[in-house]
Amino acid sequence: MHSTFMRFLQLSKSKIFILTILIAVGIGIGGIIFLYKQLPSPQHPGFEIYAQDEFRKSNYPYLDKSLPIDQRVDDLLNRMTTDEKIGQMALVEKNSIHDPLDVSRYGLGGVMSGFGGKPEPNTPQGWLDMVNGFESSARYSRLGIPILYGVDTNHGHSNVPGATIFPHFIGLGATSDPDLVRRTAQATSEEMLATNIYWSFSPNLDVVSDIRWGRTYETFGSDPNTVAELGKAYVEGLSVLSTAKHYLGNGSMEWGSSKNINFAIDQGVTRLDEDTLISTHLPPFKAAIEGGAKSVMAGLNTWEDKKMAANSYLLTDVLKKELNFQGFVVSDWYGVYEISISKYKSLVTAVNAGVDMIMLPFDYKSFMYYMEKAVQSGDISEERLNDATRRILLVKFELGLFDRDVSNNPDLSVLGSQANRDIAREAVRKSLVLLKNTGETLPLSKSVDRIVVAGSAADNIGRQSGAWTVEWQGIDGNWIPGTTILAGIKAAVSDSTDIEYNEAGNFSASGKRADIGIVVVGEKPYAEGWGDLAHPALSKDDLEVIEKTKARSEKLVVIIVSGRPLDIKGLHNDWNAVVAAWLPGSEGQGVADVLFGDYPFTGKLPVTWEL
Ligand code: BGC
């Protein structure tokens, strides 16, 4: 022993340094293993996987659909362990669940697809199989509580290739047609139900005040009454669970206030006094709740120095007490953990403020761990835990999730059905706003001799659909089913009309000057803060194409495909007509319907557009 110690002392300084590092690394690894073992594991008590048959044979009252829902909720709640209640409060992005059986082991309440959360293969059948996989895992849990699977359906079931892509909300705002919005929502939920999805993260009820915001097109516009009326219609039309979002004041975040270094407005600060906040932004939520909205998403914005998910006054006093909201509050993407650098503190603050389901959306194991500690220590009361769980269960019972036949075989052919495409096409034509029409250029005759068509958005379903289409930031090109604006024009004109298309506006110089030039230009798809932009305008390239086409045609029609007004002041003097087409989606034929006079222009500006 003595000699060993002596030898150690004889080691060179560098060897002692290396040894110290090795010991430190060892302690570190040991610590991590120790901490990991504290997390609930598959063996965690309370989450044994029960054979489904055994569970089905039970005659628990909560499984009896003849009983009143409140009684069923009480019965189920009384049977649940603390861990099972905590699990119900977790909403997890599907890519974070490496083993689908974790849904059962941890009793997860919700699973979701953020955009990009797609199955392999990414087909309607692939979606159905994926959702069924998570659902059957949930059914194998001790009490067989179904999951809520949630998706963003901003303009149709638009994660899924082949679904009908409706105009983005800004276009629906331009229609100011509640009946049409109701039918749009109905068709969307019909397509969702074909993949067994019962939860939509829509409608967006933000009242936009600054069109530089990258989410302008996700809103119905800047008038609180229109947003309220159309939002309510959307909720009434959905036959799945709707989500009124983003509560509250998300549409009034200030330029330059974003907490995200990549953004300017999004995830920023709403600097409004309480009266203005309530009078501008609350009416749509009030209307949506009257219409039956049963989940409300707390935004990622900050008001009065508090992240929305931490604001107990707005979430509990105003929403749950004053508006008597009986559904559940869900937080937005990772929003809860932005409250504090301590996950524990974040969760305690958010849950006590009134958040019932937490869009984690990643690590559910540490969530279970911190929540258990919080309940054990009393930082989150049993009463609050029960209230949150009760709200979630109530919604699940009301949706009929406990009673539905999980072995159903839904009809996938409703995805992108002709009937739904017809509704989308109607929405496109009603959304078009005529910004300028000198010399009655529009409507066009279907039998003119020659039309030239140009522009980056003329023959591109990805562009005309905008973001939240298959991918979060959208797609480019024509690889999902639909009709481009160009194809719509071609289908509308007479057989004798000669149409030449060149994206860049390079038309054959020898050919006759066209009677009409149509240029379809605008914005490339963008989502959320990635679209925050100081000066939304047409690009140099787009203006060049307009010039070239103008030089080859008698009259020029410019169609702007964009999520918001683009600055064309001083540029349009020699353009004969200008049409705002917003982001029309997959049914480009609707543009030609109005261009060639089959239907009149009826759309009205949902936000101010200075010309
Ligand atoms: C958005 C929400 C959306 C959620 C899930 C967030 O980044 O703010 O509107 O529902 O992601 O995709």
Side-chain angles (χ1 to χ4, degrees), residues 112 114 152 201 215 245-246 297 332-333 359 468 528:
M112 63 175 281
D152 290 284
F201 300 142
R215 303 192 79 161
K245 72 182 188 185
H246 304 84
M297 191 186 289
D332 200 351
W333 189 271
M359 195 190 289
W468 305 92
E528 304 195 26

Side-chain angles (χ1 to χ4, degrees), residues 580-591:
W582 313 108
L583 298 166
S586 58
E587 305 315 303
Q589 189 75 54
V591 176

Side-chain angles (χ1 to χ4, degrees), residues 491-554:
V493 296
S494 68
D495 290 347
S496 61
T497 303
D498 165 36
I499 295 197
E500 185 181 347
Y501 165 68
N502 184 283
E503 184 180 335
N506 297 323
F507 299 107
S508 43
S510 57
K512 176 180 169 287
R513 205 173 142 86
D515 304 277
I516 302 291
I518 301 176
V519 185
V520 192
V521 282
E523 292 187 304
K524 287 188 186 145
Y526 52 79
E528 304 195 26
W530 299 107
D532 291 352
L533 195 64
H535 183 213
L538 286 177
S539 69
K540 221 170 122 257
D541 286 353
D542 283 348
L543 291 172
E544 225 177 272
V545 177
I546 291 175
E547 276 312 299
K548 284 200 244 172
T549 311
K550 173 73 199 155
R552 299 295 306 143
S553 35
E554 297 296 331

Side-chain angles (χ1 to χ4, degrees), residues 210-453:
D210 185 340
I211 59 116
R212 294 175 296 178
W213 185 32
R215 303 192 79 161
T216 299
Y217 66 85
E218 287 185 56
T219 76
F220 288 119
S222 56
D223 173 41
N225 295 330
T226 308
V227 177
E229 189 186 19
L230 299 185
K232 184 176 181 209
Y234 192 93
V235 168
E236 287 167 350
L238 274 189
S239 44
V240 297
L241 173 63
S242 56
T243 308
K245 72 182 188 185
H246 304 84
Y247 187 87
L248 187 71
N250 222 46
S252 286
M253 293 174 291
E254 249 182 37
W255 177 267
S257 72
S258 181
K259 307 274 180 195
N260 183 321
I261 50 163
N262 298 302
F263 304 160
I265 296 186
D266 201 39
Q267 302 180 13
V269 180
T270 303
R271 277 197 195 96
L272 293 181
D273 60 65
E274 187 177 333
D275 285 350
T276 317
L277 177 78
I278 297 290
S279 63
T280 310
H281 294 279
L282 200 62
F285 287 89
K286 212 170 159 217
I289 291 165
E290 280 163 19
K294 280 295 171 72
S295 82
V296 167
M297 191 186 289
L300 294 173
N301 57 324
T302 297
W303 182 64
E304 289 194 333
D305 289 334
K306 257 195 203 139
K307 296 292 285 185
M308 203 46 64
N311 198 310
S312 63
Y313 170 63
L314 290 175
L315 295 179
T316 298
D317 298 343
V318 176
L319 180 65
K320 289 182 175 171
K321 293 191 181 148
E322 275 175 40
L323 297 192
N324 193 25
F325 173 61
Q326 300 292 318
F328 65 86
V329 172
V330 59
S331 54
D332 200 351
W333 189 271
Y334 203 73
V336 160
Y337 289 143
E338 285 165 2
I339 294 173
S340 148
I341 49 164
S342 148
K343 282 195 170 180
Y344 181 85
K345 203 167 154 206
S346 295
L347 286 168
V348 168
T349 310
V351 173
N352 286 334
V355 173
D356 302 300
M357 188 181 260
I358 294 96
M359 195 190 289
L360 292 164
F362 312 113
D363 180 8
Y364 42 95
K365 298 182 188 176
S366 66
F367 166 77
M368 299 290 301
Y369 173 72
Y370 290 125
M371 284 292 292
E372 271 175 24
K373 291 250 174 275
V375 175
Q376 270 161 20
S377 70
D379 283 346
I380 292 175
S381 66
E382 288 279 348
E383 194 192 349
R384 178 76 261 277
L385 177 70
N386 285 339
D387 174 48
T389 315
R390 174 185 295 281
R391 285 169 180 271
I392 295 162
L393 293 177
L394 184 74
V395 169
K396 290 185 174 182
F397 276 109
E398 282 177 350
L399 279 170
L401 298 183
F402 283 85
D403 309 322
R404 81 179 181 89
D405 175 9
V406 273
S407 61
N408 70 340
N409 213 357
D411 176 12
L412 284 169
S413 72
V414 303
L415 267 132
S417 69
Q418 194 52 52
N420 291 349
R421 289 186 188 278
D422 289 346
I423 298 171
R425 179 169 169 180
E426 176 187 343
V428 174
R429 45 181 191 251
K430 290 185 171 167
S431 71
L432 301 179
V433 179
L434 188 56
L435 295 175
K436 169 176 178 176
N437 191 21
T438 47
E440 296 195 3
T441 303
L442 295 177
L444 302 171
S445 154
K446 289 181 181 174
S447 53
V448 285
D449 280 351
R450 184 168 147 74
I451 299 177
V452 288
V453 182

